[in-house]
Amino acid sequence: MYNNIYHDIRVDNLTKIMKDKYGSWNSLCKTIGKSSSYMNEVIKGIKREFTENVAREVEAKLQLNPGSLDIKNSALEERRYAMVNIYSPVLSARVGNDIFSEIHLGELSVPMQLVKEKHLDAGKLACLRVEGDSMEQKINNGAYVIIDTSKKDIINNKIYAFNINNVIRVKRLFNALDGIIIRSDNPTYPEEKVTFEDMQNNDMNFFVVGKIEIIFNME
């Protein structure tokens, strides 16, 4: 399955339209000018992804308003998705973005299957957007990451959101005898270190926001 946060929403909306108006996938496929095998691959996420371009093309052929297939069904959301709050500002995978406030921007639909598979508590999750290329190829520029805010203890080589002097960042963290090592996946970015002495003597404000558990690299 492709890592597409809208896939299930688009599939369920299109399935409802098929049942309500067309009665069969063959009939709907004829209307949109696509073969049944093509749409089967899109719907199941096999070889083809239900991308934004595909969704907009299908909407146009079915004479739907643009974006109609992306609208959440509240009953479906409650049953199949955990609604995770999206906060501002963005996380930085560059030097960092100053934090002025944690503004709630909306909610992201996270498949409940993912939440259960990772044994996460939906009430302790937060979503932020990553900006920059220092964590590519693992986390692309513009990706949304789901953070477990209950996991603040550093496990070596895991990815965390953390704050240094009101600048929030996302990197791999490692424990060291005298502090914390900060490492990017992109080798062009140098390794950094925050020592316990820095934290104590230089009034450095460092704290872990949480461990990154789910990554949505946008299409």
Side-chain angles (χ1 to χ4, degrees):
M1 177 67 69
Y2 289 88
N3 191 4
N4 182 331
I5 63 176
Y6 288 105
H7 179 272
D8 287 346
I9 296 172
R10 290 167 180 164
V11 168
D12 283 305
N13 283 334
L14 190 60
T15 300
K16 187 176 186 304
I17 292 170
M18 180 275 292
K19 291 179 178 178
D20 290 347
K21 296 184 177 181
Y22 295 92
S24 70
W25 284 112
N26 285 337
S27 178
L28 185 144
C29 288
K30 288 179 181 178
T31 302
I32 63 177
K34 300 289 186 182
S35 68
S36 296
S37 60
Y38 173 93
M39 286 307 299
N40 184 57
E41 290 178 355
V42 170
I43 289 168
K44 292 185 177 180
I46 304 172
K47 296 182 182 180
R48 303 180 190 276
E49 186 177 3
F50 208 149
T51 63
E52 182 174 358
N53 288 339
V54 172
R56 300 297 86 82
E57 180 183 358
V58 170
E59 288 163 352
K61 293 292 180 62
L62 297 180
Q63 298 182 337
L64 302 172
N65 292 328
S68 297
L69 293 179
D70 296 349
I71 296 175
K72 305 168 187 175
N73 179 298
S74 57
L76 172 68
E77 293 297 311
E78 184 177 351
R79 185 172 69 253
R80 297 181 58 182
Y81 297 91
M83 305 307 296
V84 179
N85 289 330
I86 304 173
Y87 292 97
S88 176
V90 296
L91 284 172
S92 177
R94 293 183 295 193
V95 176
N97 284 42
D98 291 338
I99 294 181
F100 298 103
S101 62
E102 292 185 357
I103 302 172
H104 180 209
L105 298 180
E107 294 177 320
L108 183 70
S109 302
V110 179
M112 189 61 73
Q113 181 180 352
L114 273 179
V115 174
K116 291 180 178 179
E117 285 176 356
K118 293 181 174 290
H119 306 289
L120 303 175
D121 181 346
K124 296 178 181 178
L125 302 180
C127 178
L128 290 164
R129 186 172 65 85
V130 174
E131 185 179 81
D133 64 355
S134 76
M135 292 303 292
E136 294 183 344
Q137 302 291 321
K138 182 68 174 180
I139 305 177
N140 296 335
N141 181 36
Y144 285 90
V145 293
I146 304 299
I147 303 165
D148 187 336
T149 60
S150 70
K151 297 180 180 178
K152 301 183 186 295
D153 293 335
I154 295 172
I155 301 173
N156 289 343
N157 202 34
K158 298 301 183 181
I159 305 174
Y160 292 84
F162 58 95
N163 181 296
I164 297 181
N165 292 339
N166 296 327
V167 176
I168 194 164
R169 306 172 72 185
V170 54
K171 305 283 184 182
R172 294 189 187 275
L173 298 182
F174 298 79
N175 292 295
L177 291 177
D178 58 346
I180 297 167
I181 296 170
I182 302 169
R183 191 173 296 166
S184 302
D185 280 4
N186 186 334
T188 63
Y189 288 80
E191 183 177 281
E192 305 169 66
K193 190 173 189 179
V194 176
T195 67
F196 298 130
E197 183 178 359
D198 290 334
M199 298 180 201
Q200 294 171 1
N201 299 336
N202 298 331
D203 296 323
M204 175 177 285
N205 181 20
F206 176 95
F207 63 89
V208 174
V209 176
K211 182 173 176 283
I212 293 175
E213 291 287 356
I214 301 172
I215 300 165
F216 292 113
N217 285 315
M218 305 305 289
E219 57 186 70

